[in-house]
Amino acid sequence: MVTGSYMLMVVLFCIFGYPIIGGLSFIVSSIYYRLFLENGDRPAPLANGEPFITVFVPAHNEEQSIAATVRYLNDNLNYPDDKYEIIVIDDASTDRTPMILEQLLGECDKLRVITIAENRGKAHAFNVALGFAKGDFILSNDADTKPNPDAMWQYMSFFEREGGQNVGAVTGNMLPGNRTTIAAEAQQNELNSIIGLIKRSQMSYGGLFAFSGANTMYRKIAVVDVGGWQAEQPTEDIAIAWEMQLAGWQAIFAPHIRFFMDVPEKAMGLFRQRRRWSAGGIYVILTKAHKIAAHPIRNRAMLPFLLDYSVSIVWSFIYWISLAVFIVYQIYFASTGNWERFLHNFYMAGIFVAIQMVVGLMQLSLASYFNDGGRTLKYLVFAPWYMLVCWMVNTCTLVIEFFPTLFKVLTRSEGGTWRSPERSVSLHGSATSEGRDHD
């Protein structure tokens, strides 16, 4: 009886303290990866020649960024000209994207264009393009994304090395290319945290929760092996990462391969992005958890991701329920003049938030050191905004999206249609200044 009560208290403590415990676990496991594994995961020059690569660029109403991205991919990559092609999949664009692509066909010798009449989403577009791809490897590259010039051969080095025949996909390290608003500046912290530290942490367990949809190199036969990209999933990059690893393919995060992407510059754009990310994570948990449970030993590398995301969903509901109860009690204590309890509750909440902030600053600082030797520590000035606002947005979107996503799973609704977000005017050039600085 005592043991059962003790275990219950431990479980409740872990759930309520999830942000703190989770943050500390990310720190410890990422340090392990950095010390013992990262040196073995550095790109190396190719020894056996350059395989042919097909670059997929999905485009739906991308008139603001498509020209700069295609020209960059055509002219600025350090990879033999006759060893790669670019396929832009125009997914029923209604803006000037088709006209721009027609002009680019006359300028860019590596470019081909596939036009899809009905907007069915990124995964569907990729599956259509897969039948036209000449390469044995597919680089997924969003219309607002520019990889570093050496990215192609760096990616291929992971497939060439010993054991590389088991590698299904390699995903790079995403960084924001636009930093023109406070929201965009703050996401420098977040991308460092998610990519620079959390994915290192995941690699210490031997797997990845998600690839980056913005820039990932896939082995084509591995994509075919898992049935392609799943059009019913809200986020194709999370879904195919799980499918590949459950099928026995290795997933790799390459922190030294950089690419620069457009991030939301306004609060509403950030909120819409997080809703899609949350829906994708929930959908994967609901549809693929049973596969891990059926073979927990074989899929042991995925167990930490299943546990982490499941607890994060539970904690998000607990957080908002607890916040509502806290506000009600504070109003009651203030109205009855019970200022001792009123202040005591604020003190306790303040202690929890302070500990969480300290762990968050440790996480962000360590991530900056791992990513670029601490050069991005200057962005910690935006860390309080990120931790207080973005964390609440993330928990909010998990709660908002849970039941609609559950309904989609139960009704097997297709969730693939999409619309492109508003792009930053700062990315209309051929390359970002931040990209050149980091390269």
Side-chain angles (χ1 to χ4, degrees):
M1 187 71 178
V2 175
T3 302
S5 301
Y6 176 76
M7 290 300 298
L8 178 62
M9 290 179 61
V10 171
V11 170
L12 290 175
F13 174 79
C14 290
I15 292 176
F16 278 96
Y18 162 76
I20 297 171
I21 297 171
L24 291 173
S25 68
F26 289 143
I27 290 172
V28 172
S29 53
S30 66
I31 291 175
Y32 172 83
Y33 172 80
R34 175 77 172 189
L35 293 177
F36 300 106
L37 302 175
E38 185 165 334
N39 284 336
D41 277 344
R42 291 180 180 272
L46 299 178
N48 301 319
E50 297 86 0
F52 196 88
I53 297 171
T54 297
V55 182
F56 282 176
V57 182
H60 176 70
N61 294 342
E62 295 285 3
E63 63 180 9
Q64 293 179 313
S65 60
I66 190 65
T69 298
V70 171
R71 288 182 180 125
Y72 179 86
L73 294 172
N74 190 79
D75 301 331
N76 294 87
L77 299 182
N78 296 329
Y79 205 76
D81 288 341
D82 61 343
K83 291 292 187 178
Y84 75 100
E85 63 175 346
I86 304 167
I87 296 181
V88 175
I89 311 104
D90 178 13
D91 193 12
S93 294
T94 57
D95 64 355
R96 294 182 60 252
T97 297
M99 291 179 285
I100 295 171
L101 290 173
E102 185 176 354
Q103 177 186 347
L104 290 171
L105 281 169
E107 299 178 22
C108 303
D109 57 320
K110 305 179 187 69
L111 176 63
R112 291 195 287 158
V113 176
I114 296 173
T115 301
I116 298 177
E118 181 184 356
N119 176 9
R120 294 282 301 279
K122 185 176 177 181
H124 175 263
F126 276 6
N127 288 332
V128 171
L130 194 62
F132 296 88
K134 298 176 182 177
D136 291 327
F137 296 89
I138 307 294
L139 177 64
S140 162
N141 191 98
D142 277 358
D144 64 339
T145 300
K146 299 180 180 70
N148 70 66
D150 293 326
M152 296 265 269
W153 68 261
Q154 289 177 332
Y155 274 128
M156 294 314 307
S157 70
F158 290 91
F159 296 94
E160 181 188 72
R161 69 185 186 180
E162 184 179 357
Q165 72 276 6
N166 299 317
V167 175
V170 183
T171 193
N173 194 345
M174 65 180 179
L175 296 171
N178 56 316
R179 300 168 192 170
T180 53
T181 66
I182 292 178
E185 295 277 10
Q187 287 170 81
Q188 174 67 36
N189 291 308
E190 182 171 33
L191 294 186
N192 261 347
S193 174
I194 291 175
I195 300 302
L197 189 137
I198 294 180
K199 284 194 180 295
R200 280 180 168 91
S201 169
Q202 293 172 355
M203 285 296 294
S204 71
Y205 299 110
L208 288 175
F209 180 82
F211 301 139
S212 170
N215 203 259
T216 293
M217 185 72 77
Y218 296 93
R219 185 188 296 275
K220 185 164 70 172
I221 192 64
V223 175
V224 174
D225 181 52
V226 298
W229 289 270
Q230 298 182 352
E232 76 278 6
Q233 295 274 353
T235 51
E236 87 296 334
D237 45 0
I238 302 177
I240 197 169
W242 281 59
E243 282 298 308
M244 278 192 177
Q245 291 171 96
L246 290 172
W249 293 98
Q250 185 181 1
I252 292 179
F253 167 59
H256 303 286
I257 302 177
R258 308 297 180 89
F259 61 91
F260 301 87
M261 58 180 288
D262 195 8
V263 298
E265 295 184 323
K266 298 179 181 178
M268 187 52 65
L270 179 67
F271 186 73
R272 283 196 295 266
Q273 181 194 66
R274 299 315 152 93
R275 287 191 65 175
R276 185 173 64 86
W277 287 3
S278 295
I282 294 167
Y283 204 112
V284 163
I285 293 294
L286 292 175
T287 56
K288 304 189 187 302
H290 68 282
K291 296 183 179 181
I292 296 178
H295 302 283
I297 302 300
R298 187 180 69 191
N299 299 315
R300 59 189 176 278
M302 303 293 291
L303 282 172
F305 315 144
L306 174 62
L307 178 63
D308 174 61
Y309 206 83
S310 299
V311 173
S312 71
I313 294 172
V314 174
W315 186 85
S316 296
F317 278 93
I318 290 175
Y319 170 78
W320 288 103
I321 293 172
S322 300
L323 181 61
V325 171
F326 176 82
I327 292 172
V328 169
Y329 268 109
Q330 292 302 86
I331 292 174
Y332 171 75
F333 290 139
S335 63
T336 58
N338 192 344
W339 299 111
E340 181 180 356
R341 290 297 304 273
F342 182 88
L343 293 175
H344 174 77
N345 286 348
F346 265 124
Y347 291 150
M348 296 303 295
I351 290 172
F352 179 82
V353 171
I355 296 173
Q356 187 173 344
M357 293 284 282
V358 169
V359 173
L361 286 172
M362 290 170 56
Q363 185 173 328
L364 295 173
S365 300
L366 194 62
S368 176
Y369 171 73
F370 286 168
N371 252 14
D372 50 39
R375 282 190 295 168
T376 51
L377 282 173
K378 59 185 177 182
Y379 293 102
L380 286 182
V381 68
F382 301 102
W385 187 93
Y386 157 62
M387 289 188 285
L388 292 176
V389 176
C390 285
W391 283 354
M392 292 186 69
V393 168
N394 292 343
T395 60
C396 178
T397 55
L398 279 173
V399 171
I400 290 173
E401 289 296 324
F402 182 79
F403 291 107
T405 303
L406 176 62
F407 178 78
K408 289 179 181 178
V409 171
L410 294 176
T411 58
R412 299 188 177 182
S413 303
E414 187 168 311
T417 56
W418 60 319
R419 67 171 184 170
S420 294
E422 182 180 349
R423 300 302 187 192
S424 168
V425 295
S426 67
L427 297 188
H428 290 184
S430 61
T432 64
S433 59
E434 281 82 0
R436 290 190 294 270
D437 290 342
H438 283 278
D439 289 342

